[in-house]
Amino acid sequence: MEAIATLFIHLPSSTKLNMFSLSDMPSVSTMLSAYASLAASTMLIRSMANEFIPHQLQDYIFSGLRYLFSPRLSQLTLIFEEFSGITRNQVYEAAELYLSTKITPSIERLKVCKAPREKNLTITIEKGEEVVDAFEGVELKWKFVCSDNERTGSTERYFELRFNKKYREKVLDFYLPFVLSKSKALKEGKKVVKLHTLGFFYDDMGGGGGGGVWGSINLDHPATFNTLAMDPELKKALIDDLDRFVKRRDFYKKVGKAWKRGYLLYGPPGTGKSSLIAAMANYLNFDIYDLELSQLRHDSELRRLLVATANRSILVIEDIDCSVQLRDRQLEVGCDVSSEQVSSF
């Protein structure tokens, strides 16, 4: 026999079971009457508010109500432009290098390039691509954006960083310093010495040289202290002086002096001044900035160029004796002897 289950519901005598019926719904006329009453009350309240409450206070109240009831955006976006004034934005450079280590298979387009003296390929994200990173439980989304400026005719490049607003302090105080330190270590490991020249705006990658008013190429000069023909004692004294200068950066800061060292090289053309400068750059792994004062017209241009130079670099001022008007130089020396002022920063 088939089992039959029977459900008995026992209700107390005081319990009543109410069922919903269409007959219980209010009529259309009742609903219209209620709506008309509500509209009239609203108009009355609005007229009273306009009469007794100043308009400035009304705007303040309404703006506060809109803020309370409007949906709040939980995402915050930070923008890192390529240039900050005339100098390149360090955060942009750091993000560009750091994100090259965060490339995942989900990214569809990549930019690949290689400089002559670099051992490995350089892989960066293409415009419009997004990279997702994580830091101490926070999800961060990077996006590379390129836009054409119709007014100047140039291309503006910048990175967007999006994350939840509640992690703002953590991102600014911990994550961005982490990105800067990480990129600095990566840069030191793969750095190639570059030669920066005024008015030259293309580099070995076909880009803009990365220096704002300066352009750059890789320094493919083979000169080193091992191959340089120079008096051994003078060579050793120069190397010791360079090592002492690099190690005493904190000392310069402590005594309140600028961390720089100057050398004056003089002699006829072909005596090895440029080779010595290249050997110093290769030894210190410092970039070279080549400057001719004859190209400058005002002191403000010189200040602008000096501000645009990077730290830990060598500034070479060529033919410094021919860049100023000296009576004795024109009568006796002329320009047969060239000189170069070398300053290390």
Side-chain angles (χ1 to χ4, degrees):
M1 295 180 62
E2 296 182 358
I4 301 176
T6 305
L7 176 64
F8 294 94
I9 301 177
H10 175 74
L11 296 176
S13 59
S14 61
T15 303
K16 297 182 180 180
L17 184 63
N18 295 326
M19 301 297 293
F20 178 78
S21 174
L22 293 178
S23 62
D24 296 332
M25 292 183 62
S27 62
V28 177
S29 60
T30 303
M31 296 177 63
L32 291 176
S33 177
Y35 175 77
S37 177
L38 179 62
S41 301
T42 304
M43 294 296 294
L44 178 61
I45 294 174
R46 178 177 295 180
S47 62
M48 293 177 61
N50 292 332
E51 184 176 355
F52 296 104
I53 301 178
H55 292 286
Q56 294 83 354
L57 182 58
Q58 293 182 36
D59 296 337
Y60 179 79
I61 294 174
F62 291 147
S63 62
L65 292 175
R66 283 194 297 267
Y67 175 79
L68 290 176
F69 293 101
S70 62
R72 301 183 185 180
L73 299 177
S74 60
Q75 294 293 312
L76 177 65
T77 302
L78 303 181
I79 305 297
F80 308 103
E81 296 180 342
E82 183 177 9
F83 290 99
S84 176
I86 61 175
T87 60
R88 209 163 188 240
N89 189 351
Q90 291 185 357
V91 184
Y92 177 92
E93 291 183 336
E96 186 177 33
L97 188 58
Y98 174 75
L99 293 179
S100 64
T101 64
K102 297 294 180 178
I103 294 175
T104 60
S106 61
I107 300 178
E108 298 180 354
R109 301 182 63 194
L110 298 173
K111 183 170 62 177
V112 182
C113 52
K114 180 181 181 299
R117 293 186 62 183
E118 290 183 350
K119 298 179 180 179
N120 302 320
L121 297 174
T122 299
I123 302 176
T124 56
I125 60 176
E126 186 56 284
K127 60 181 181 180
E129 294 294 335
E130 190 175 78
V131 175
V132 179
D133 192 17
F135 178 78
E136 296 183 358
V138 181
E139 183 181 71
L140 306 109
K141 295 183 179 180
W142 291 88
K143 187 176 182 180
F144 181 50
V145 182
C146 292
S147 60
D148 296 328
N149 191 327
E150 297 180 356
R151 184 175 60 86
T152 60
S154 60
T155 301
E156 297 179 352
R157 293 181 288 266
Y158 58 91
F159 284 102
E160 290 183 354
L161 175 60
R162 291 185 291 110
F163 54 92
N164 195 298
K165 283 185 177 180
K166 64 181 180 180
Y167 299 116
R168 178 177 178 272
E169 287 76 15
K170 178 179 287 189
V171 172
L172 294 177
D173 297 339
F174 298 100
Y175 177 68
L176 291 182
F178 167 76
V179 173
L180 288 170
S181 62
K182 187 72 174 180
S183 63
K184 182 179 179 181
L186 294 171
K187 188 176 181 179
E188 291 296 329
K190 59 184 298 186
K191 180 180 179 180
V192 176
V193 178
K194 290 185 176 294
L195 173 63
H196 300 263
T197 308
L198 179 63
F200 184 67
F201 295 99
Y202 294 92
D203 57 16
D204 291 326
M205 299 296 188
V213 295
W214 297 93
S216 65
I217 58 174
N218 290 342
L219 180 66
D220 294 322
H221 201 295
T224 63
F225 281 116
N226 293 330
T227 62
L228 198 64
M230 187 176 179
D231 180 79
E233 294 184 1
L234 182 59
K235 182 189 298 186
K236 184 179 183 305
L238 179 57
I239 294 175
D240 293 341
D241 186 71
L242 291 174
D243 291 337
R244 183 168 54 252
F245 164 71
V246 172
K247 295 177 181 178
R248 300 180 70 185
R249 181 176 183 178
D250 294 336
F251 172 77
Y252 277 78
K253 183 178 180 180
K254 182 179 180 181
V255 299
K257 295 183 62 177
W259 186 53
K260 64 180 181 179
R261 184 70 169 165
Y263 301 90
L264 177 64
L265 309 180
Y266 62 93
T271 54
K273 297 186 296 297
S274 298
S275 297
L276 177 57
I277 296 171
M280 294 169 62
N282 289 327
Y283 179 76
L284 297 173
N285 203 21
F286 283 10
D287 289 351
I288 296 178
Y289 287 84
D290 188 17
L291 175 62
E292 293 185 10
L293 294 179
S294 59
Q295 298 180 358
L296 306 181
R297 297 181 180 180
H298 307 285
D299 292 341
S300 59
E301 293 185 35
L302 178 60
R303 287 193 294 269
R304 182 167 61 97
L305 293 174
L306 294 179
V307 170
T309 58
N311 195 13
R312 302 181 69 87
S313 61
I314 296 176
L315 175 65
V316 179
I317 304 177
E318 297 188 12
D319 299 331
I320 193 172
D321 61 322
C322 297
S323 301
V324 293
Q325 297 296 328
L326 299 176
R327 297 178 182 178
D328 295 339
R329 177 182 61 79
Q330 294 178 352
L331 295 176
E332 300 178 5
V333 181
C335 288
D336 294 335
V337 178
S338 61
S339 60
E340 297 178 356
Q341 176 72 29
V342 183
S343 297
S344 301
F345 295 92

